[in-house]
Amino acid sequence: MAKQKAAAINLAFNHGWTYAPAPESTDHIEIKSQYDLFINGKFVAPTQGQYMDSINPANEKKLSSVAIAQTADVDKAVKAAQQASTGWQKLKPSERGKYLFRIARMLQERGRELAIIESLDGGKPIRESRDVDIPLAAAHFFYYAGWADKLAYAFPGRDAQPLGVAGQIIPWNFPLLMAAWKIAPALACGNTVVLKPAETTSLTALKLAEIIQACELPPGVVNIITGAGSTGQALVNHAGINKVAFTGSTQVGKAIQKALAGTGKKYTLELGGKAANIVFEDAAIDQAVEGIINGIFFNQGHVCCAGSRLLVQEGIKDVLLKKLKLRMDTLIVGDPLDKNTDIGAINSKEQFGKIKNYLRIGINEGGNMHQSNCTIPNKGYFIKPTIFTDVAQSSRIVQEEIFGPVLSIQTFRTPEEAIEKANNTPYGLSGGVWTDKGAKVFKVTGKLKAGVIWANTYNKFDPTSPFGGYKESGMGREGGLHGLHAYVKL
Ligand code: NAI
Ligand code: MG
């Protein structure tokens, strides 16, 4: 970071400003030393009295202790959700909508606090939690609040009935946002829920529990239980749930699918990805460079739809690579709470180890690794923005989801070759196409086997648009009108 700081100081000097890092203050941000389980509208201690640490990945210090729910706690939560179900279903749909609007507004009111806690607990830059995660979480509640009393219009001529209790398991890359993606449509359709956040990022879900309590949602309609994989497993296997909604690794997604086979429980799975971001010779190159940067370095690359494979047309490879490297050198890696930070901390020690291992794999496979010239803090889990050239389609770093700030770069000559390479993956979640020709956008995107494809932009999200994948990226859609389907029987 020394070089960037020097550049910033020079800039400041030339303009007569003084340079100062701009860390967000944590004054008035309350993180309790210990959090219990949110069951039936109350925070209750876990039956076996076990807690796990939640760590700040930017400094490896403990932030709080979070309860571990065992099978007996999962059972309590599911029973609370079952008991709350009848009353919640009987409530006038417009009244259900009002609760969702209330939650949405309180998420906005407490936006600063939530953004800071999200960045402390998960390592993402405050600019992203403040401008993306928290506003989008509120937007999801607003959006589905609107549907609550309009289901007859969503399913014309059909009778849309709630499923009952939804068991929801979410990952650590967008903690509060994923909670919103799961809870809002479920409640709008008249279901009750038991949600389990990821073990490294439980805190904003527990803040959401406080918000839900403050909004006086009837007890048991939303239950939030913390714990790791075995808690998730107990939830999936509980006979009292009617639906599982899971976002996470393909490996766990497959295990859940097996566990649910023959049970009659409905499920949606949003799993991994290895998206191709395709840049044609006729693309606006500077915009494409911004899109590549955003595609792979947004949220440290912990994004299931990240543009982690760059496919660039041969004629512009050299100029594009030169521009990309220059742009990478301007990225500031460091304190997630600093408003200037572009890339924060890797979410956990495990993920840090996994990414470092992939860097070794890439080098051993003969890839040519380049990292930006930034410096990184010596405490905490940080990885410099990384690109690999000279990789083969069969390279593991081209085929496997790394879930970090690591981009593999390949070239192509014709659109057909680009499409073939893009589709040559077990995943099918997302993709990007950069070209000046509208016709080419339609021709290429029509042939990409992926659920979400952006043209001349990347990583844009909106509650009105459906999201989900093909193949090993999962099944079912979340968001938009499609997102309602997952929570009703017709
Ligand atoms: P994971 O799939 O183990 O964790 C996701 C959630 O599932 C967490 O809440 C976890 O506690 C829960 N879980 C774990 N095992 C379970 C089980 N057997 N039954 C029910 N729930 C279970 O993902 P992990 O290990 O944190 O990350 C590993 C890799 O997975 C990442 O490196 C990344 O490649 C991928 N991943 C993809 C995500 C996506 O959004 N598509 C999100 C998180 C991880
Ligand atoms: Mg944490």
Side-chain angles (χ1 to χ4, degrees):
M1 204 151 45
K3 209 163 171 179
Q4 286 139 358
K5 263 196 192 137
I9 289 165
N10 271 338
L11 188 77
F13 183 77
N14 293 338
H15 290 79
W17 312 325
T18 33
Y19 172 80
E24 183 67 56
S25 156
T26 53
D27 293 352
H28 314 295
I29 300 296
E30 191 208 13
I31 298 180
K32 292 187 186 129
S33 60
Q34 182 171 303
Y35 281 93
D36 287 327
L37 306 167
F38 184 64
I39 298 176
N40 209 21
K42 290 195 196 75
F43 284 93
V44 295
T47 45
Q48 289 188 20
Q50 287 183 340
Y51 293 83
M52 59 192 177
D53 291 348
S54 207
I55 303 291
N56 176 345
N59 60 19
E60 300 168 55
K61 287 190 187 144
K62 179 176 158 180
L63 283 168
S64 181
S65 289
V66 175
I68 302 177
Q70 309 287 347
T71 311
D73 303 302
V74 173
D75 187 53
K76 263 199 228 169
V78 173
K79 289 206 167 113
Q82 283 177 314
Q83 272 156 22
S85 189
T86 320
W88 185 243
Q89 290 186 19
K90 273 198 200 137
L91 206 64
K92 252 173 83 177
S94 58
E95 292 300 312
R96 287 204 296 265
K98 276 187 200 165
Y99 283 109
L100 294 183
F101 278 123
R102 217 178 271 171
I103 295 169
R105 281 194 298 269
M106 207 175 280
L107 286 172
Q108 287 182 324
E109 280 160 23
R110 291 175 64 173
R112 178 174 170 272
E113 174 194 4
L114 293 164
I116 290 172
I117 295 174
E118 201 72 303
S119 285
L120 283 171
D121 200 19
K124 65 173 68 201
I126 187 72
R127 231 176 32 215
E128 291 177 9
S129 24
R130 184 195 63 194
D131 299 343
V132 182
D133 292 65
I134 311 306
L136 269 181
H140 270 268
F141 275 98
F142 276 119
Y143 176 74
Y144 283 107
W147 274 121
D149 60 353
K150 299 175 194 70
L151 293 181
Y153 298 95
F155 305 102
R158 314 285 300 270
D159 178 27
Q161 291 296 322
L163 301 171
V165 179
Q168 307 182 316
I169 298 167
I170 57 171
W172 40 263
N173 51 344
F174 295 93
L176 186 71
L177 182 57
M178 287 302 110
W181 275 35
K182 297 276 182 285
I183 295 174
L187 298 191
C189 294
N191 303 279
T192 57
V193 313
V194 179
L195 174 101
K196 191 199 87 64
E199 50 271 41
T200 59
T201 53
S202 307
L203 297 184
T204 48
L206 293 160
K207 284 279 155 186
L208 176 62
E210 290 176 4
I211 287 172
I212 283 168
Q213 211 175 28
C215 289
E216 297 175 356
L217 197 74
V221 170
V222 172
N223 305 275
I224 296 179
I225 55 169
T226 45
S230 58
T231 307
Q233 227 169 343
L235 181 57
V236 168
N237 291 332
H238 198 290
I241 60 165
N242 308 94
K243 176 200 162 92
V244 173
F246 172 77
T247 300
S249 63
T250 296
Q251 194 193 351
V252 172
K254 285 180 179 174
I256 290 178
Q257 210 169 11
K258 268 192 201 146
L260 293 179
T263 62
K265 292 172 191 165
K266 275 186 90 161
Y267 59 89
T268 38
L269 304 172
E270 207 268 273
L271 311 176
K274 191 76 184 178
N277 205 359
I278 306 172
V279 184
F280 286 97
E281 278 167 3
D282 56 25
I285 198 155
D286 292 323
Q287 282 172 38
V289 168
E290 287 309 305
I292 295 163
I293 294 275
N294 174 40
I296 186 62
F297 300 127
F298 170 60
N299 199 30
Q300 296 71 251
H302 302 328
V303 183
C304 47
C305 53
S308 50
R309 290 186 292 148
L310 173 62
L311 298 179
V312 51
Q313 200 159 13
E314 257 178 29
I316 54 161
K317 180 193 162 197
D318 292 341
V319 57
L320 186 135
L321 266 182
K322 198 170 152 206
K323 282 176 183 268
L324 180 62
K325 286 178 180 172
L326 282 172
R327 180 67 177 91
M328 279 167 67
D329 284 341
T330 68
L331 296 173
I332 299 176
V333 183
D335 182 3
L337 286 195
D338 192 317
K339 292 162 207 156
N340 295 318
T341 293
D342 297 297
I343 301 183
I346 299 304
N347 184 268
S348 67
K349 197 173 178 180
E350 288 67 34
Q351 192 60 24
F352 186 51
K354 184 183 156 180
I355 297 167
K356 283 195 294 188
N357 192 40
Y358 270 113
L359 298 185
R360 280 190 288 272
I361 291 170
I363 291 165
N364 291 340
E365 282 178 325
N368 180 0
M369 183 174 90
H370 169 86
Q371 294 190 306
S372 80
N373 68 6
C374 64
T375 53
I376 52 179
N378 45 24
K379 198 100 181 99
Y381 315 129
F382 293 92
I383 302 251
K384 293 181 183 183
T386 306
I387 57 175
F388 273 96
T389 48
D390 302 327
V391 293
Q393 184 72 27
S394 58
S395 301
R396 284 184 62 192
I397 58 164
V398 171
Q399 287 292 325
E400 297 174 17
E401 182 177 57
I402 300 173
F403 228 57
V406 184
L407 177 70
S408 69
I409 303 181
Q410 297 170 276
T411 58
F412 67 89
R413 291 197 187 137
T414 62
E416 289 69 32
E417 190 188 344
I419 291 161
E420 203 211 297
K421 281 186 166 151
N423 287 337
N424 185 349
T425 160
Y427 294 110
L429 187 59
S430 59
V433 176
W434 298 81
T435 168
D436 198 28
K437 304 272 181 299
K440 207 185 268 171
V441 168
F442 287 104
K443 184 178 160 198
V444 175
T445 56
K447 291 190 175 137
L448 292 179
K449 294 196 188 84
V452 184
I453 301 168
W454 289 284
N456 295 328
T457 186
Y458 208 91
N459 273 339
K460 289 278 182 290
F461 307 98
D462 190 287
T464 62
S465 75
F467 187 90
Y470 290 98
K471 301 195 278 186
E472 297 209 352
S473 291
M475 53 204 314
R477 295 290 177 266
E478 293 184 307
L481 177 56
H482 295 68
L484 295 169
H485 280 264
Y487 288 100
V488 293
K489 46 179 186 262
L490 295 172

